[in-house]
Amino acid sequence: MATLILVRHGRSTANTAGLLAGWTPGVALDERGAEQAAALPGRLAAVPLAAAVTSPLQRCKETLAPLLAARPELALHTDDRIGECHYGDWSNRKLSELSDEPLMKIVQQHPSAAAFPGGESMRAMQARAVDAVREWNARIEEEHGSDAVFLMCSHGDIIKSLVADALGMHLDLFQRIHVDPCSVTAVRYTPTRPFLLRLGDTGDFGSLAPRPAPAPDAAADTRTFESATEDGGNAVVGGGAGAA
């Protein structure tokens, strides 16, 4: 079957503000995110793409804009099923505040049992995203052949849940996966099993280096993946800001 390239949107204003954006309107790429998006056409220059599918949210559309400008022939489709998790009452709140919510422990350690107040469950989030991928795989293969490659631009928790499905991992383990902003993850689907070809590839390994401790008054709201994993091993819900 087809090969899927999953692109997480570039770094957003909500990422750097330490907010759990969810479906909050008006969340755009920040300056670094725009730079990441501008580099995407070059990173994917050698890959023929049959189609592109995007989350309907602004930060994903902005991430794909340079790629579409470089490839005006590339068909773009929008699919709500790969939109961000519906965090409900948690949307647009500071992650530093949410860390004290009792539900956060469930989100981190038993996400298959987590349902956001006024929003959706993490099981429902994964199920809709997997359904979307499977349907698009079949459509792309039928229209373009089994060697076709297509792209989806989505969000951190969505991509992590899709990787977990591809690896046969229970959703309760998906917080062990991390994908940086504008990173590329690739999955090759076959009739018998998927193969994970790339995971969170940015082409830059600088984010693996130790980082200086942030200033005390800034640490809570701008935690990166690295600092979050030092804080009890918790993953940042919504993906976090990743590398600066």
Side-chain angles (χ1 to χ4, degrees):
M1 296 180 71
T3 297
L4 169 62
I5 293 178
L6 289 160
V7 176
R8 185 184 169 197
H9 63 78
R11 197 176 73 175
S12 73
T13 53
N15 292 147
T16 48
L19 296 173
L20 186 63
W23 285 69
T24 304
V27 177
L29 298 184
D30 68 5
E31 183 177 355
R32 174 58 178 154
E35 293 173 353
Q36 293 170 331
L40 190 60
R43 292 169 59 197
L44 297 177
V47 183
L49 295 173
V53 186
T54 184
S55 155
L57 297 175
Q58 178 179 339
R59 52 198 183 273
C60 286
K61 292 181 177 180
E62 290 182 355
T63 298
L64 289 188
L67 179 64
L68 295 172
R71 302 193 191 196
E73 77 288 350
L74 183 61
L76 178 66
H77 309 271
T78 300
D79 194 323
D80 287 359
R81 294 175 297 176
I82 61 168
E84 181 62 284
C85 184
H86 290 278
Y87 296 116
D89 297 343
W90 279 27
S91 298
N92 212 35
R93 290 182 59 189
K94 287 185 175 292
L95 288 164
S96 57
E97 297 172 356
L98 294 171
S99 64
D100 295 328
E101 295 280 353
L103 178 60
M104 183 59 83
K105 184 176 182 179
I106 307 302
V107 170
Q108 293 291 334
Q109 299 182 19
H110 190 19
S112 66
F116 296 97
E120 70 179 332
S121 69
M122 302 198 90
R123 286 184 297 106
M125 173 199 75
Q126 183 187 43
R128 62 173 165 86
V130 169
D131 284 347
V133 165
R134 299 293 181 173
E135 289 178 21
W136 277 104
N137 276 338
R139 175 175 172 178
I140 294 298
E141 182 175 12
E142 180 180 356
E143 296 179 358
H144 301 279
S146 59
D147 292 330
V149 182
F150 71 108
L151 179 149
M152 283 185 167
C153 186
S154 188
H155 306 266
D157 282 348
I158 296 290
I159 294 173
K160 288 162 55 179
S161 73
L162 289 169
V163 170
D165 173 74
L167 292 176
M169 292 171 54
H170 196 282
L171 183 61
D172 284 345
L173 303 179
F174 99 122
Q175 296 289 28
R176 302 183 183 196
I177 300 167
H178 177 74
V179 290
D180 275 323
C182 222
S183 62
V184 171
T185 294
V187 182
R188 168 73 175 174
Y189 289 88
T190 76
T192 55
R193 75 196 73 176
F195 292 88
L196 182 64
L197 306 179
R198 297 286 189 279
L199 176 61
D201 190 346
T202 63
D204 177 7
F205 296 102
S207 65
L208 301 180
R211 296 190 174 199
D217 59 346
D221 291 345
T222 59
R223 296 191 310 164
T224 63
F225 166 68
E226 290 82 2
S227 62
T229 54
E230 293 168 1
D231 183 17
N234 285 340
V236 179
V237 180

